[in-house]
Amino acid sequence: MITRLSAPHHEELWRVTDDASGLRGYIALHSTRLGPAAGGLRMRAYDSDEAAIADVLNLSRGMSFKNAAADLPLGGGKAVIMGDPRTKTPAMLRAMGRAIETLQGRYWTAEDMGMSPADMAEIARETRYVAGLDSGPFASGDPSPVTAQGVFNALKIGLKQRYGRDDLSGTTVAVQGLGHVGWHLCRLLHEAGARLILADTDAAKLAQSCADFDATAADVTRIHATEAEVFAPCAIGGTLNATTIPELRAGLIAGAANNQLATPEDADRLAARGILYLPDYVANGGGIINVAAEILRIETRAPWVAARLDALGTTMTRILAHAAAKDASPAHLADTIIGERLLPRAG
Ligand code: NAD
């Protein structure tokens, strides 16, 4: 069953339930101003319906900004399933697929936390409006290498702005998180001659990455305070906060993690210390560009993705230039510049 709820700042909010499979979840469409709302499906053990609704509303708004920053003809949406991902069943996924199908293409889903390409294939048995598939004519597969390429491009733009050079040889980068994106980012940085200092809560991943990239391991609780020109948060959100910011020694923050700032005030804390912060949803937009090629059924995937990545770099350059001119945080400038793209056209 799919039931419409009210959400004053969003176009649509739906509760999705299915007694047979035990599915309970939500779908939020924040904005379809630029195109169909697109954003992943997350499964998480929320404490309450209120917590699930707050998450889906917040995440779908974030997708509007991420898609607009990447200049994609897509709006912002998101879906969540309440529950531990280990309790996921094909019946649950198919029920969510049927709910997505009833929205008739106003919302497109893909993977997020707790989901895999195999889960997307299950959903695809019930709806056309799903991306992030491993096989099929336009399948986009793992977005992480493209996300890493976008972060790498952004990092070079930031290096130029902060240190007046874009040559990475001899530059030290501290990378937090060596998962799908972090590892590929390390690969690109290593190839470009950067010196790497790495941390991950997973000791095996840390040892492997240090061997792969001739890198030094750091304490996972102190990686943010490493002596380096660049700090790259590529693990979890909220790592830039009132405790860590005073301890940072890098002059540039360029990473893939979503929601790196614990609060909006943390952008001001970074600016006050002269640390250049690259807005996360612009830096990590490569992943949604990769997925968009599947949603938009782009025939010439590689050149299309490359052109969109270039455009994302131009947007980052513009945001940093405006921020420098106004002596403002790039995070706030990004919200203003990208927010304008989401306003209804005059006339
Ligand atoms: P992942 O799960 O593959 O990797 C995360 C890594 O971080 C893991 O190796 C994990 O062990 C490590 N980790 C977890 N907590 C840590 C901590 N406190 N300190 C150090 N390491 C820690 O995830 P991913 O796909 O590489 O994504 C990384 C981040 O980038 C996430 O925030 C994700 O939301 C964001 N992101 C990913 C993509 C993508 O294409 N995968 C796109 C946009 C944004």
Side-chain angles (χ1 to χ4, degrees):
M1 193 165 67
I2 173 159
T3 315
R4 188 156 188 176
L5 307 177
S6 102
H9 304 294
H10 286 61
E11 289 181 12
E12 298 176 34
L13 172 65
W14 297 90
R15 179 190 298 124
V16 185
T17 54
D18 178 59
D19 289 344
S21 64
L23 169 71
R24 189 169 182 85
Y26 292 90
I27 301 173
L29 282 66
H30 172 256
S31 166
T32 55
R33 155 82 185 80
L34 299 174
L41 168 62
R42 173 172 293 194
M43 183 160 183
R44 206 176 138 190
Y46 294 100
D47 289 339
S48 62
D49 283 85
E50 289 68 31
I53 291 172
D55 208 30
V56 81
L57 292 176
N58 187 31
L59 291 166
S60 60
R61 181 178 181 279
M63 285 311 302
S64 290
F65 279 77
K66 188 182 288 208
N67 291 337
D71 227 350
L72 296 168
L74 295 174
K78 204 88 185 182
V80 299
I81 295 179
M82 297 179 69
D84 185 322
R86 286 171 298 188
T87 63
K88 179 171 54 188
T89 62
M92 233 179 227
L93 294 167
R94 290 187 64 169
M96 182 52 98
R98 287 193 293 278
I100 292 168
E101 183 66 21
T102 67
L103 299 178
Q104 297 180 306
R106 296 199 300 287
Y107 168 65
W108 277 77
T109 202
E111 288 107 329
D112 193 74
M113 277 166 53
M115 290 292 148
S116 68
D119 297 330
M120 294 303 113
E122 201 61 46
I123 290 173
R125 295 173 70 182
E126 301 286 355
T127 182
R128 291 156 280 176
Y129 306 113
V130 52
L133 298 168
D134 259 346
S135 60
F138 296 94
S140 58
D142 179 10
S144 308
V146 183
T147 304
Q149 183 67 55
V151 175
F152 178 76
N153 297 350
L155 189 152
K156 291 217 301 183
I157 292 165
L159 201 65
K160 181 96 181 154
Q161 174 91 12
R162 179 63 178 75
Y163 292 105
R165 62 171 201 270
D166 60 6
D167 178 6
L168 277 152
S169 57
T171 298
T172 303
V173 184
V175 183
Q176 178 184 47
L178 307 164
H180 291 94
V181 184
W183 188 88
H184 282 288
L185 178 64
C186 289
R187 175 178 56 77
L188 294 167
L189 290 167
H190 180 65
E191 284 166 9
R195 195 176 144 253
L196 296 176
I197 301 179
L198 311 179
D200 197 295
T201 44
D202 182 327
K205 275 190 196 171
L206 176 61
Q208 185 61 53
S209 297
C210 285
D212 291 343
F213 308 118
D214 197 14
T216 309
D219 181 332
V220 76
T221 64
R222 301 300 302 161
I223 183 73
H224 64 278
T226 302
E227 182 75 56
E229 279 95 356
V230 188
F231 173 49
C234 297
I236 50 170
T239 55
L240 302 172
N241 54 50
T243 307
T244 57
I245 291 171
E247 298 176 340
L248 292 172
R249 284 196 270 174
L252 171 66
I253 311 291
N258 281 315
N259 305 321
Q260 292 168 31
L261 301 171
T263 68
E265 293 74 45
D266 292 312
D268 303 313
R269 289 196 178 94
L270 288 166
R273 286 207 53 211
I275 298 170
L276 182 61
Y277 167 73
L278 303 190
D280 47 13
Y281 65 82
V282 187
N284 69 19
I288 192 65
I289 288 173
N290 192 65
V291 172
E294 183 175 349
I295 295 175
L296 301 169
R297 304 176 80 76
I298 302 295
E299 302 274 357
T300 50
R301 157 174 286 278
W304 187 86
V305 167
R308 297 258 63 77
L309 277 180
D310 279 353
L312 192 63
T314 304
T315 297
M316 180 65 88
T317 304
R318 193 168 145 233
I319 289 167
L320 297 189
H322 278 255
K326 296 193 170 199
D327 202 16
S329 160
H332 299 324
L333 249 294
D335 287 350
T336 305
I337 290 175
I338 306 304
E340 278 166 14
R341 295 185 184 179
L342 294 171
L343 295 174
R345 276 194 205 97

